[in-house]
Amino acid sequence: PADVALGTRVLFGAPWSAIEQAAREANVDLIVIGAHGYGKLDKMLGTTASKVVNNADRPVLVLRDPAHITA
């Protein structure tokens, strides 16, 4: 659609913080981020996706690769 903005941005800093900064600057309605399986270190320190979800000032949609989903 014509009203969908496309572009590339390069920001420096912690990934989760840079994602949130880019979302604010572009005034996006929704942040969409991919997530993968969690290892022991990810559970202890947190992942980029979880940090975005926990700190974002707007809605976040997290998508997971079905190959990494365990029952």
Side-chain angles (χ1 to χ4, degrees), residues 9-44:
R9 291 174 188 247
V10 178
L11 300 173
F12 296 94
W16 66 270
S17 179
I19 291 166
E20 292 178 10
Q21 179 182 347
R24 282 191 304 275
E25 290 174 0
N27 196 29
V28 301
D29 296 319
L30 174 70
I31 298 170
V32 179
I33 191 167
H36 53 80
Y38 298 104
K40 290 180 183 178
L41 187 60
D42 290 333
K43 287 181 181 178
M44 187 170 42

Side-chain angles (χ1 to χ4, degrees), residues 1-2 24 29 45 54-55 61:
R24 282 191 304 275
D29 296 319
L45 298 177
N54 289 323
N55 293 290
L61 174 63

